[in-house]
Amino acid sequence: MTTTGLSLEIEGVIAELQALSQISEAEPPVVTRVVFSDADLRARAYVKGLCADAGLKITGDAVGNTFARWEGSEPDIAPVGTGSHIDAIPNAGLYDGCVGVLGGLQAIRVLQKMGYRPRRSIELVIFTAEEPTRFGIGCLGSRMMAGVLSPARARTLRDKEGRTLEELRTAAGFTGELESVSIRPGRFDKFIELHIEQGPTLEQEGIDIGLVIAIAAPASVRILVEGEGGHAGARLMPGRRDALAAAAELILALETAAKSAGAIDTVATVGICDVFPGAVNSIPSRVRLETDIRDIDATRRDGVIEFLGAACAAVSARRGVSITTELVNADPPATCDAEILNALEDSAKSASKTYKKMVSRAYHDALFMARIAPVGMLFIPCRGGVSHRPDEYASPEWIGSGIHVLARTLAQLAS
Ligand SMILES: [Zn+2]
């Protein structure tokens, strides 16, 4: 098919993004939209309304994932999916996730308007709770769709107020068995997510589109160091079993492991160091460290985790402290599909957009969709690389470029 004459009408999408941002638990322009909050439900209703206006057939599952389908001429074959999320962390901006949802919808409308009829259906997906704000676990909806989070574990999830996922989703009107949320591989022929970069590269280099080749995934290891406390003055240095001094060695060991892993894509961070009792004149007796270790290569990432484990054993023996570790999660990284990548590249070329191949260092719903479908992702720039803040910004031109390339790619893959 030809997509010359593809008319974007970007002003309309910007107006819709602005309207969506007004549906917030915080005072606009600050966006706070925690899953199953009143704002989340109103935002869903707004987006569903737009999808219905575009003639899409809307369905949903038991955890609130929403599917808006543009029926193809062969409705029985697997659709091409696109989409993202509309939930937002507290004090967020209006582009993260929403660009992929409203941009995906606009890509569909653009194709409709030019008279294109897809062979495969094209399905816009709005995932539930990409952000971990409420239940402490990211990508809840896509994780359950991919079968990575079991219904049994999902039933144990609670928010800070102690309300369960079961209680909250039911109150929000999402009923039915959680068992029905997971989908089989093949349900989607392919899946593509449009997203802001959330980093500075594209803007700095003046590039329109980032073609994602791989999505890094975090592993999280919790470390508990237990030593012996005591009076900071009375207890002399020989024979001390200071839990924080031991933890300090582990923090540096993790940094060394990531730096010496041999690839720029390996990163490791200790973001939480909880010291007990936390008094200036008391030797720390207990320390909890929470680590985040990411890579696009699972083997290399697991190598860092092993190195950390060996450091724990060595420090424990040398300092006489007890160290226990718990692997909190370890999602596998994803590699993007070569055919989708080619289609995106073709589309960027024919739309005369500049592009570069890059790694997604943040994770997205596409990471979990990759378990059950070939996936692709395209990034657009965001000003200063700023995200998860009210001053997050992507220009209409950047958004327009993303929608343009997405529309061409969807058309190519659905033909
Ligand atoms: Zn996002």
Side-chain angles (χ1 to χ4, degrees):
M1 65 151 291
T2 164
T3 40
T4 40
L6 187 142
S7 150
L8 282 175
E9 290 169 20
I10 191 66
E11 302 78 17
V13 189
I14 301 300
E16 287 167 1
L17 279 164
Q18 295 287 355
L20 183 55
S21 78
Q22 301 294 308
I23 309 174
S24 171
E25 295 161 65
E27 192 62 41
V30 177
V31 180
T32 298
R33 222 164 26 230
V34 177
V35 68
F36 302 144
S37 64
D38 180 55
D40 176 49
L41 300 182
R42 283 187 292 129
R44 288 164 180 268
Y46 172 68
V47 174
K48 281 187 201 175
L50 296 177
C51 292
D53 290 345
L56 309 185
K57 200 176 111 205
I58 299 163
T59 54
D61 69 18
V63 80
N65 291 312
T66 302
F67 310 91
R69 182 179 173 102
W70 181 22
E71 198 97 296
S73 61
E74 292 182 34
D76 296 333
I77 59 174
V80 176
T82 188
S84 194
H85 61 98
I86 59 167
D87 66 318
I89 64 161
N91 206 43
L94 64 95
Y95 300 92
D96 175 7
C98 300
V99 162
V101 171
L102 293 177
L105 173 59
Q106 181 65 0
I108 290 174
R109 289 188 294 213
V110 162
L111 294 173
Q112 287 175 333
K113 205 172 166 197
M114 58 182 290
Y116 168 74
R117 176 86 201 271
R119 184 172 71 90
R120 289 187 187 280
S121 301
I122 297 178
E123 220 166 291
L124 181 71
V125 188
I126 304 147
F127 294 101
T128 284
E130 192 268 349
E131 303 292 2
T133 314
R134 183 149 220 167
F135 297 110
I137 184 167
C139 296
L140 176 66
S142 52
R143 211 179 263 273
M144 291 195 70
M145 274 170 71
V148 176
L149 176 71
S150 70
R153 247 202 89 202
R155 284 191 191 92
T156 67
L157 294 176
R158 286 172 184 274
D159 70 4
K160 278 191 225 81
E161 282 79 47
R163 284 168 298 182
T164 63
L165 169 65
E166 283 304 78
E167 193 181 328
L168 287 160
R169 72 166 177 114
T170 312
F174 304 112
T175 52
E177 290 299 316
L178 287 181
E179 276 71 12
S180 63
V181 173
S182 73
I183 59 175
R184 57 180 170 77
R187 157 76 174 79
F188 284 95
D189 181 61
K190 292 184 176 57
F191 179 81
I192 308 171
E193 183 168 359
L194 166 67
H195 207 280
I196 57 169
E197 182 196 350
Q198 301 182 292
T201 310
L202 294 173
E203 188 198 26
Q204 274 171 8
E205 299 181 12
I207 292 170
D208 300 319
I209 299 288
L211 304 181
V212 176
I213 52 170
I215 308 168
S220 176
V221 180
R222 181 176 297 144
I223 304 172
L224 189 65
V225 184
E226 288 172 291
E228 195 180 9
H231 193 285
R235 199 77 185 250
L236 299 179
M237 297 312 282
R240 275 201 191 190
R241 297 194 294 128
D242 182 325
L244 182 56
E249 286 203 45
L250 298 179
I251 294 171
L252 294 177
L254 182 60
E255 186 187 50
T256 302
K259 279 183 171 170
S260 57
I264 195 74
D265 296 317
T266 313
V267 289
T269 308
V270 177
I272 293 177
C273 176
D274 189 16
V275 181
F276 181 84
V280 70
N281 58 353
S282 178
I283 300 165
S285 60
R286 194 169 70 229
V287 171
R288 178 175 56 93
L289 300 178
E290 304 266 354
T291 67
D292 180 301
I293 305 157
R294 299 185 188 215
D295 208 320
I296 56 169
D297 182 301
T299 310
R300 203 165 51 210
R301 187 190 65 187
D302 294 347
V304 172
I305 296 173
E306 273 170 39
F307 186 102
L308 179 63
C312 287
V315 169
S316 167
R318 185 154 34 78
R319 289 182 168 269
V321 294
S322 137
I323 303 179
T324 50
T325 60
E326 181 195 345
L327 186 62
V328 181
N329 74 67
D331 297 317
T335 305
C336 290
D337 178 65
E339 193 188 332
I340 300 178
L341 203 53
N342 284 339
L344 285 166
E345 198 169 354
D346 284 351
S347 303
K349 276 182 193 155
S350 31
S352 305
K353 302 297 175 191
T354 53
Y355 62 90
K356 80 176 279 180
K357 293 183 180 170
M358 60 195 301
V359 164
S360 171
R361 304 198 181 276
Y363 69 84
H364 299 284
D365 291 304
L367 178 68
F368 293 95
M369 288 302 282
R371 302 284 197 98
I372 42 170
V375 299
M377 276 199 88
L378 67 161
F379 281 164
I380 57 166
C382 58
R383 190 177 58 198
V386 166
S387 183
H388 282 189
R389 275 173 27 188
D391 55 340
E392 182 181 82
Y393 178 75
S395 74
E397 293 72 30
W398 294 338
I399 295 170
S401 296
I403 294 171
H404 193 159
V405 173
L406 177 64
R408 282 175 180 270
T409 307
L410 290 174
Q412 188 174 330
L413 296 177
S415 291

